[in-house]
Amino acid sequence: MKSLFVLKTVLTVLLALPAIAMQENTKGLLPEVRLDSNNEDKNQETAFQSEVLITKTENKAIEALTKIIAKKKGSDDEADLLFRLAELYMRRAKSGRFFDLNHTTDKQLLTAGLQNQKAQDALKNAITIYNRLEKNFPKYKSLDAVYFNNAIAHLQTKQTDRAKNLYDQLIASFPKSPLVPDTLLEVGEIYYFQQNFQTALDKFKAIEKYPQSKAYPYGLYKSAWAHYNLKQAESGVNQLLLVVKQNPAGDTDAKKYNLRKEALRDLTLFVGETLEPEQLFGFFQKITTEEELGEAIMALSSLYESHSRYKEINIFVNEFIEKHPSSLQAVKCYAKLVDVNETLKLRAAVLINLKKMAEFCHTQPQPTCHDQFRTAALDISKKWWEIWLKNKKNPEFSKLTEQAFEILLANEDISKPDSKSRYAFAELQFQQGHFSTASLNYEQVAHHAAIDKTMAHDALYGALYSVEKQLEVKDDVVEVERQKMLASEYVTNYANGEHITQIRYKLGFIAYKQNDYDLALASLL
């Protein structure tokens, strides 16, 4: 009775764990036997505690099952029990991998009540059991799963040749096994990473005989890359198009791998090297949604940039904007055109696209659009400003820089004014002799409460000095009143300012000329 109770306990634990490749409905690519941790988005400590609990449960199950196998030796159940024990070791390897990847120390494990939790040790135990099943139970009903899982375990322990032999043996001995498509995929991957692309292609193509298998779309996808590496780009494109067709947009069928996104991404590489720039937009428009099309256009831009084919980027990016002017992807396209044309030193085109980008973002409620515009416009303004500082006598470039600042500041967020850029803009205008507008921009900076006092002081003085320079060019009653107002503001706000004496005399002189003797006297004394 005690043995029966233990057996029931073990079976309860086993049923709570994911099966590897024993039951018909669990055969497939078997991601659960991989050793990748799936706890990235958990709190590290919580993940550690979870793995500790799982490992303790697994260890208890392994211990109990080992005892049962010893008692059941020679019975009809022995092979099944051994298979389940190997399966538990494979699952233990996954927990061990978690500890390995997180650099868990022996002390931490001992504190948690665990010892010897290395993934490789668990895998070696699994291999020993699988080898035993293969040798002693040649008629075992799940021998195909034994070969498959044993091959995976050998791969994880870097015994590639043995894994390859096991996969080949499965295909030869069990041609009707539902694991054949997955086996072809796995062995094809081995040849692929060994750069034996032709043999890999043969394996991947063989999966096409099993269109209902989960491995089918992935076989198409991998065969495309095998073709690509064999310099057969057109065949690779055709395979990727089949993947896209097999995985329509919006398909959420959990029973198959949806490789649509990956296929579209890789198509940009395949066709980007074979089609003319004028053909690219039309090619992708036929097989994508609007959002996917925008992403493909951006991917193509990156590809062309990597080959320094900047001028040609304008062709398909502009075509996308023309055909899809309201697409949310358009802002990225404008930003790309700004970068590309700046690289080509086509500054007029840069300004045109900055203006279009600003106009587009005015129609969009998403703040990210305005953020992207501001980033693009600010980068250009700063870059051109620095170039201009090195050569202030270049009138053409100073005009371009001024236009860039105008676009940036005309579209700033009024709740968060960009005082630093406006100050630089005022400096540029002053240098160009545009004293009146320079004064207005200086004054706007001076009145922004959020800036530091030093900049506010300098901006107010700049506004006042710009008015004075404007009056040297042309006497104007309105400008004189602004000069008086700004001087009064300076005297009021900066009684100990650097220019206080000079500005007091200036204010007194203006008041005297206007027969305002009280103010003149107060300013000059």
Side-chain angles (χ1 to χ4, degrees):
M1 289 297 293
K2 186 177 179 181
S3 297
L4 180 59
F5 173 76
V6 173
L7 177 59
K8 287 182 177 179
T9 302
V10 172
L11 291 176
T12 300
V13 174
L14 290 174
L15 290 172
L17 297 172
I20 296 183
M22 185 173 181
Q23 298 177 351
E24 183 76 15
N25 61 359
T26 63
K27 292 181 179 180
L29 287 175
L30 312 179
E32 64 270 18
V33 302
R34 313 289 178 194
L35 299 187
D36 301 320
S37 173
N38 59 358
N39 293 288
E40 289 83 3
D41 56 348
K42 293 182 181 179
N43 176 276
Q44 188 172 359
E45 180 60 29
T46 302
F48 174 77
Q49 294 299 333
S50 297
E51 287 298 333
V52 166
L53 290 173
I54 291 170
T55 301
K56 287 182 176 180
T57 302
E58 292 165 350
N59 286 344
K60 288 179 180 179
I62 288 172
E63 183 180 355
L65 188 53
T66 301
K67 292 178 180 178
I68 293 171
I69 290 172
K71 293 180 180 181
K72 291 284 185 176
K73 187 174 179 61
S75 71
D76 293 339
D77 297 328
E78 184 180 6
D80 275 335
L81 292 171
L82 284 169
F83 186 88
R84 276 299 181 180
L85 182 60
E87 198 171 41
L88 275 172
Y89 276 119
M90 291 292 283
R91 180 60 185 83
R92 268 289 301 106
K94 186 175 182 182
S95 295
R97 180 66 167 169
F98 172 86
F99 297 129
D100 292 344
L101 289 174
N102 287 277
H103 306 291
T104 308
T105 64
D106 291 339
K107 184 177 179 181
Q108 287 175 297
L109 290 173
L110 284 172
T111 303
L114 296 174
Q115 289 182 332
N116 189 25
Q117 305 305 319
K118 299 295 183 183
Q120 292 296 306
D121 291 339
L123 287 168
K124 289 175 183 177
N125 288 332
I127 287 172
T128 299
I129 298 169
Y130 286 134
N131 288 341
R132 179 179 169 186
L133 282 167
E134 181 185 349
K135 179 180 179 181
N136 298 339
F137 301 91
K139 295 184 179 180
Y140 177 50
K141 64 180 183 299
S142 295
L143 194 59
D144 57 341
V146 171
Y147 286 136
F148 188 84
N149 293 346
N150 200 13
I152 289 175
H154 276 85
L155 276 179
Q156 299 291 356
T157 53
K158 304 187 185 309
Q159 301 178 68
T160 304
D161 289 339
R162 169 65 173 151
K164 196 187 303 181
N165 290 335
L166 286 163
Y167 284 133
D168 289 340
Q169 196 169 350
L170 190 160
I171 294 170
S173 302
F174 303 96
K176 295 184 179 181
S177 168
L179 284 172
V180 167
D182 304 285
T183 301
L184 288 166
L185 182 61
E186 293 287 345
V187 75
E189 290 275 25
I190 293 173
Y191 284 111
Y192 185 90
F193 285 108
Q194 290 177 339
Q195 298 189 33
N196 186 343
F197 299 118
Q198 185 57 59
T199 303
L201 178 60
D202 294 340
K203 301 297 182 182
F204 295 140
K205 293 291 286 182
I207 302 173
E208 293 182 18
K209 298 176 184 177
Y210 309 92
Q212 301 305 315
S213 74
K214 291 173 69 176
Y216 177 73
Y218 203 72
L220 293 174
Y221 177 75
K222 290 300 298 187
S223 65
W225 273 102
H227 278 300
Y228 181 80
N229 281 283
L230 289 168
K231 311 300 181 185
Q232 300 166 1
E234 185 175 349
S235 296
V237 168
N238 291 334
Q239 292 296 98
L240 289 178
L241 287 174
L242 282 174
V243 176
V244 173
K245 185 178 179 180
Q246 289 283 328
N247 297 272
D251 186 357
T252 57
D253 186 355
K255 294 181 180 179
K256 65 180 182 181
Y257 286 88
N258 194 321
L259 294 168
R260 178 182 179 87
K261 184 175 182 179
E262 290 80 358
L264 289 173
R265 177 199 63 204
D266 296 340
L267 272 170
T268 60
L269 173 64
F270 286 30
V271 304
E273 296 182 355
T274 56
L275 295 182
E276 294 299 320
E278 294 82 1
Q279 299 174 289
L280 294 173
F281 175 84
F283 176 89
F284 281 99
Q285 187 180 38
K286 294 175 182 176
I287 60 173
T288 58
T289 64
E290 184 179 278
E291 182 179 358
E292 289 173 336
L293 179 58
E295 292 172 353
I297 293 298
M298 287 296 96
L300 286 165
S301 300
S302 298
L303 175 66
Y304 271 59
E305 279 185 298
S306 69
H307 294 293
S308 300
R309 299 173 65 182
Y310 302 106
K311 187 175 181 180
E312 293 157 302
I313 294 174
N314 281 283
I315 297 171
F316 49 84
V317 174
N318 273 314
E319 188 170 4
F320 174 80
I321 294 174
E322 180 185 344
K323 300 290 177 59
H324 297 277
S326 301
S327 170
L328 294 178
Q329 301 290 322
V331 65
K332 294 181 181 179
C333 291
Y334 284 124
K336 180 61 66 177
L337 291 175
V338 168
D339 287 342
V340 165
N341 286 296
E342 170 59 17
T343 301
L344 293 170
K345 293 184 171 51
L346 299 174
R347 268 67 191 241
V350 170
L351 292 172
I352 289 171
N353 282 291
L354 277 178
K355 288 179 182 177
K356 289 181 177 180
M357 192 178 183
E359 292 167 1
F360 174 80
C361 287
H362 277 305
T363 68
Q364 299 298 323
Q366 292 85 357
T368 54
C369 188
H370 297 277
D371 292 342
Q372 289 179 74
F373 161 74
R374 174 169 168 72
T375 298
L378 191 58
D379 286 348
I380 289 297
S381 298
K382 284 182 176 178
K383 180 179 180 180
W384 290 3
W385 163 261
E386 290 170 0
I387 295 174
W388 171 76
L389 285 176
K390 295 175 182 177
N391 186 12
K392 294 183 179 180
K393 294 182 180 180
N394 186 333
E396 181 181 358
F397 210 87
S398 61
K399 186 176 181 180
L400 287 170
T401 308
E402 195 171 9
Q403 289 177 284
F405 273 117
E406 285 173 348
I407 296 170
L408 170 66
L409 296 170
N411 296 280
E412 71 176 347
D413 183 347
I414 58 174
S415 66
K416 296 182 290 185
D418 183 358
S419 295
K420 289 184 178 180
S421 293
R422 190 169 293 280
Y423 190 92
F425 182 40
E427 292 272 276
L428 176 62
Q429 290 180 314
F430 184 90
Q431 293 286 340
Q432 299 309 304
H434 303 157
F435 302 121
S436 181
T437 52
S439 177
L440 292 171
N441 279 291
Y442 277 129
E443 184 182 1
Q444 191 169 335
V445 173
H447 290 162
H448 181 209
I451 65 170
D452 64 75
K453 194 168 183 178
T454 299
M455 180 178 282
H457 167 274
D458 293 347
L460 184 58
Y461 179 75
L464 181 57
Y465 188 60
S466 297
V467 171
E468 186 173 331
K469 297 295 291 185
Q470 177 64 27
L471 288 171
E472 290 177 5
V473 177
K474 180 182 179 182
D475 194 15
D476 185 287
V477 175
V478 174
E479 289 295 313
V480 170
E481 285 301 315
R482 282 197 76 244
Q483 185 183 31
K484 182 180 178 181
M485 180 270 294
L486 292 169
S488 296
E489 184 178 342
Y490 188 97
V491 169
T492 301
N493 295 339
Y494 302 102
N496 297 313
E498 179 184 354
H499 310 287
I500 186 64
T501 302
Q502 171 192 346
I503 292 175
R504 278 184 180 277
Y505 279 116
K506 178 63 66 177
L507 181 59
F509 180 72
I510 296 170
Y512 180 81
K513 288 184 67 176
Q514 293 180 337
N515 300 321
D516 186 349
Y517 300 119
D518 291 338
L519 178 59
L521 186 61
S523 300
L524 295 171
L525 289 179

